[in-house]
Amino acid sequence: MANVVLVGTQWGDEGKGKIVDLWTAQADMVVRFQGGNNAGHTLIIDGEKFVFHLIPSGILHLGTQCVIGSGVVVDPAILLDEMEQLRSQGYEKALERLVISDEAHIILPTHRLIDMAREAGLGCRKIGTTGRGIGPAYEDKMSRCGLRFIDLQLGGEHLKERLYAIVEGHNQLLEKIYGQETVSPAAVLAEIEPAAEILRPMVQKTPYMLQEAVDKEQNILFEGAQGTLLDIDHGTFPFVTSSSTVAANACAASGFGMNRISQVSGVIKAYTTRVGEGPFPTELSDEKGDWLREKGGEFGATTGRPRRCGWLDLVALRYAVMINGLDSFAVTKLDVLSGLESISVCEAYEYQGKRLDYFPSSIDMLQGCTPVCRQLPGWQEDITGILAFEELPENARNYILFMEEQLGIPALVVSVGPDREQTIIRGNPFTV
């Protein structure tokens, strides 16, 4: 038995979906533990593309139980759309293995309206949210007035009373603070009730399911969303997401004992990207940044927005290794770097003439940092068909070995293309 936590180490979009799908082959259960449909995990299986925003990325493996955990905020309409996508692609039976925590909170249409109105009101100070209502839903959770799946499960007058009170509170904000039109609580209830009928059989008290898996000595994989640098506490605040994205939250947001985690692994893109606003020390605002964006297909799976691209940032990655307690990592999109004569890697920052080896908490300070870079030789060969580490071009191997040396942990996986099969396996997190 082993229990593995997988998190993003950068600003999200590291390719976690592919690694979750890959490691689910050894897992009996996959648990998505935080975030909402502001995350997009893309899988390509035998050339067929799947994009999940809420459903755990392990859903395509037969026999694997998939859990949407207590720390996730769920838009029922988006979840139903994803379920329909699976049906249309021939995975109807997979939905029998999907369970939703009765403690998970629900995103309402009014959450989305508040999110968009607030972002529009910020003007040049906007955060760059997806406008999906995730932040307002987490706000209701923290102010102890949110709607949960247990409320959907109970239904009837209980659900009506809870939902009406929440929507009426949202209307106060929409009308008096943001100058927007109000929403009928009855209309929101009419939208929620059909979804509740479909989702109600899938709702369970999931911490007991996790305990049962432990008792049976089954393997559990905990799937994070977004990335470490978007963490609400430790990221580039306020340009962060509304949940805790670090590995420790896998336990807190799932109802799972910390002492039962066997391995913590992080996903690292071979370069760095960011969507939305906020500081980005290694960003390339030139033709090389454009080249990385086009070759890497760097457009958001959730929003379609072009991602900002830059070189690998070891300062940020060492910080991610430390605060997550990473034991290992997986590298994605190494193939995108093929064709470069040389590759820059940020080893430190320079701020006001001084060298910094730590990741600053002040966004103003981070915005003023310039990267201190080392040049590594690139490679020209197409590596998308290589399945053994020893067969990679020497400079590609050295790039991975350099990352291992700098971070002090091993690379268990090297992805050389988007498909599940385009992967070099160097270790198994369930057996290390």
Side-chain angles (χ1 to χ4, degrees):
M1 179 194 78
N3 303 307
V4 175
V5 178
L6 183 72
V7 294
T9 59
Q10 295 153 306
W11 279 286
D13 306 310
E14 300 95 350
K16 294 179 292 298
K18 174 177 178 175
I19 307 304
V20 171
D21 170 71
L22 185 72
W23 286 352
T24 300
Q26 285 83 47
D28 300 287
M29 181 180 291
V30 178
V31 182
R32 166 75 182 277
F33 63 85
Q34 50 75 221
N37 58 296
N38 52 344
H41 292 176
T42 302
L43 310 181
I44 298 179
I45 313 298
D46 297 327
E48 187 173 14
K49 185 177 181 179
F50 301 81
V51 180
F52 298 116
H53 302 282
L54 289 167
I55 294 176
S57 303
I59 194 71
L60 302 181
H61 285 265
L62 296 176
T64 303
Q65 185 79 61
C66 288
V67 177
I68 296 175
S70 307
V72 181
V73 289
V74 179
D75 186 324
I78 299 298
L79 180 56
L80 291 178
D81 285 346
E82 286 189 32
M83 292 166 61
E84 184 55 39
Q85 174 199 337
L86 280 172
R87 289 191 187 95
S88 69
Q89 293 179 277
Y91 285 86
E92 169 117 23
K93 287 284 187 183
L95 298 174
E96 297 174 2
R97 297 181 277 105
L98 181 62
V99 173
I100 308 166
S101 168
D102 64 357
E103 298 169 326
H105 280 245
I106 295 167
I107 298 173
L108 298 173
T110 42
H111 285 129
R112 296 194 296 270
L113 293 173
I114 292 169
D115 199 358
M116 291 184 287
R118 179 181 295 154
E119 186 76 349
L122 288 173
C124 65
R125 296 179 294 111
K126 65 181 181 179
I127 302 297
T129 76
T130 59
R132 305 299 172 88
I134 280 78
Y138 273 117
E139 288 175 30
D140 278 359
K141 175 179 178 174
M142 293 305 174
S143 62
R144 296 162 291 182
C145 63
L147 193 73
R148 302 190 298 168
F149 272 89
I150 185 62
D151 299 312
L152 254 63
Q153 196 172 47
L154 292 172
E157 284 300 312
H158 170 87
L159 173 60
K160 180 179 178 180
E161 181 181 335
R162 293 281 299 115
L163 184 140
Y164 271 49
I166 294 167
V167 173
E168 286 166 2
H170 290 171
N171 279 336
Q172 294 288 315
L173 278 175
L174 288 168
E175 181 180 23
K176 296 181 179 179
I177 303 298
Y178 300 115
Q180 303 290 315
E181 292 185 5
T182 60
V183 178
S184 164
V188 177
L189 181 62
E191 181 179 329
I192 289 291
E193 280 187 323
E197 288 300 314
I198 298 170
L199 299 175
R200 193 170 284 131
M202 305 165 66
V203 178
Q204 293 189 36
K205 182 82 170 179
T206 52
Y208 289 103
M209 291 184 62
L210 273 61
Q211 180 59 49
E212 184 178 354
V214 170
D215 293 342
K216 292 180 178 178
E217 298 188 346
Q218 294 180 337
N219 291 339
I220 305 174
L221 177 61
F222 294 87
E223 173 186 4
Q226 288 92 30
T228 298
L229 303 181
L230 292 175
D231 183 85
I232 186 67
D233 293 311
H234 306 292
T236 50
F237 187 89
F239 301 101
V240 293
T241 194
S242 301
S243 60
S244 178
T245 61
V246 296
N249 194 40
C251 294
S254 302
F256 194 74
M258 293 174 57
N259 61 335
R260 292 170 176 156
I261 298 299
S262 313
Q263 175 91 183
V264 179
S265 194
V267 184
I268 301 175
K269 191 180 288 185
Y271 48 99
T272 310
T273 61
R274 176 166 198 166
V275 172
E277 308 298 323
F280 184 177
T282 66
E283 183 173 11
L284 293 167
S285 302
D286 57 14
E287 66 278 359
K288 284 188 177 178
D290 295 338
W291 184 86
L292 284 172
R293 184 179 304 108
E294 292 301 321
K295 189 175 181 188
E298 296 297 350
F299 300 89
T302 298
T303 63
R305 291 183 294 182
R307 295 173 184 146
R308 300 155 63 190
C309 298
W311 297 122
L312 195 71
D313 187 336
L314 289 174
V315 181
L317 287 173
R318 292 188 194 107
Y319 178 64
V321 170
M322 177 181 69
I323 66 176
N324 287 295
L326 296 186
D327 300 298
S328 61
F329 66 99
V331 180
T332 60
K333 293 200 170 184
L334 184 67
D335 54 296
V336 175
L337 298 181
S338 294
L340 291 172
E341 290 293 333
S342 65
I343 301 167
S344 294
V345 177
C346 172
E347 293 186 302
Y349 299 148
E350 184 176 299
Y351 178 71
Q352 296 182 350
K354 296 181 180 180
R355 179 185 173 104
L356 296 184
D357 292 303
Y358 68 92
F359 194 77
S361 296
S362 163
I363 59 165
D364 292 334
M365 189 174 177
L366 191 59
Q367 195 74 59
C369 288
T370 56
V372 178
C373 290
R374 176 188 294 202
Q375 299 299 314
L376 299 177
W379 60 92
Q380 303 303 310
E381 298 91 334
D382 178 4
I383 65 173
T384 55
I386 294 175
L387 299 180
F389 186 73
E390 295 74 19
E391 295 176 10
L392 285 172
E394 181 180 5
N395 289 342
R397 291 198 310 272
N398 288 340
Y399 189 71
I400 301 300
L401 295 174
F402 176 76
M403 291 174 67
E404 289 184 324
E405 177 189 3
Q406 292 295 311
L407 300 178
I409 52 176
L412 300 184
V413 170
V414 179
S415 174
V416 294
D419 200 274
R420 178 192 281 172
E421 303 304 319
Q422 293 175 298
T423 310
I424 297 171
I425 307 296
R426 303 180 71 217
N428 183 341
F430 290 98
T431 59
V432 294

